[in-house]
Amino acid sequence: MQGRKELSPKILYQVQLQDLIAEDNFYRLLDKSIDFHFLYKATSPYYGAEGQESIDPVVFFKICLVGYLNNINSDRKLIEYCSNCLDVRLFIRYDIDETLPWHSTISRTRQLYGEEVFLELFRKILSLCVAKGMVQGKRQAVDSAFIKANASMDSLLEKEVLEDASAFVSELEEKSEFKVTSGRKKLV
């Protein structure tokens, strides 16, 4: 007899996000390998003591790292991707029922730090990933278009990940609603 699966949602579920992600998942291993807590001290001059609480700087840079690793250069697409991936949610410490920050929060936070500070901290994170062996240090791209090539294999170059961070930041800036300046005018 042929079976048919229908979705019948329950009112309550008893599930924990940690139980849904394999122990050897890349983002779980990345989270165990890299200590992101240095970001709190590095970004503290850019925040005041009063007002609404901002996005956690560690969460912000983890989201940016996810975008870099998955070649997502749009803040909207990045938040959409992070919302849909359970392993990324665990990595950035957002539970299943929590709403992720708005895409504009990502743009504005990048604007808050300025391009120089953001790029410096992002390169530091990438270098930690390379040092721990979580990222190879070379970036590869695959294109699915079949085009007759007219290039020598000797002319191909591998991009270094740390050098490529600047190109990634430029792509983010190009698609961002809020433009990032090269530096901050003053600290809070």
Side-chain angles (χ1 to χ4, degrees):
M1 181 164 93
Q2 182 184 40
R4 291 188 183 211
K5 175 68 179 128
E6 296 291 328
L7 178 64
S8 38
K10 300 175 186 172
I11 293 176
L12 295 173
Y13 291 89
Q14 289 186 345
V15 66
Q16 291 186 0
L17 184 57
Q18 298 89 318
D19 298 338
L20 301 174
I21 311 302
E23 288 295 324
D24 62 347
N25 177 274
F26 173 76
Y27 287 110
R28 200 171 248 219
L29 296 174
L30 181 62
D31 198 34
K32 289 177 185 174
S33 299
I34 309 284
D35 182 14
F36 291 91
H37 285 84
F38 73 93
L39 292 167
Y40 293 117
K41 185 176 181 186
T43 59
S44 64
Y46 299 95
Y47 297 96
E50 296 179 5
Q52 265 190 331
E53 201 171 280
S54 68
I55 183 173
D56 183 328
V58 171
V59 171
F60 167 74
F61 278 100
K62 282 182 174 183
I63 288 174
C64 292
L65 182 60
V66 168
Y68 179 80
L69 294 174
N70 292 284
N71 201 25
I72 302 171
N73 56 13
S74 161
D75 294 332
R76 287 178 193 267
K77 292 291 182 190
L78 179 56
I79 294 298
E80 182 181 321
Y81 179 83
C82 292
S83 296
N84 293 332
C85 294
L86 295 178
D87 57 348
V88 173
R89 281 182 166 274
L90 183 62
F91 178 59
I92 63 174
R93 307 265 198 290
Y94 272 76
D95 212 339
I96 297 169
D97 59 344
E98 285 184 276
T99 304
L100 266 63
W102 287 57
H103 65 89
S104 60
T105 303
I106 303 303
S107 302
R108 286 182 178 154
T109 305
R110 211 171 33 253
Q111 184 182 35
L112 170 72
Y113 300 143
E115 187 176 349
E116 292 172 7
V117 173
F118 174 75
L119 195 53
E120 176 189 335
L121 293 174
F122 194 68
R123 280 187 175 144
K124 169 94 171 145
I125 292 167
L126 286 175
S127 65
L128 290 172
C129 291
V130 170
K132 293 289 185 173
M134 298 305 295
V135 176
Q136 186 179 10
K138 308 283 184 197
R139 191 169 188 204
Q140 298 177 354
V142 177
D143 188 359
S144 63
F146 291 107
I147 300 172
K148 187 173 180 177
N150 190 9
S152 164
M153 289 302 284
D154 297 329
S155 68
L156 297 178
L157 298 172
E158 290 181 325
K159 284 188 173 181
E160 294 290 328
V161 166
L162 297 181
E163 293 170 6
D164 194 41
S166 299
F168 179 69
V169 170
S170 296
E171 289 174 10
L172 285 173
E173 172 67 12
E174 187 178 305
K175 298 199 180 203
S176 177
E177 294 175 16
F178 303 95
K179 302 301 177 200
V180 179
T181 58
S182 60
R184 287 273 298 158
K185 291 184 176 124
K186 63 177 184 171
L187 297 177
V188 176

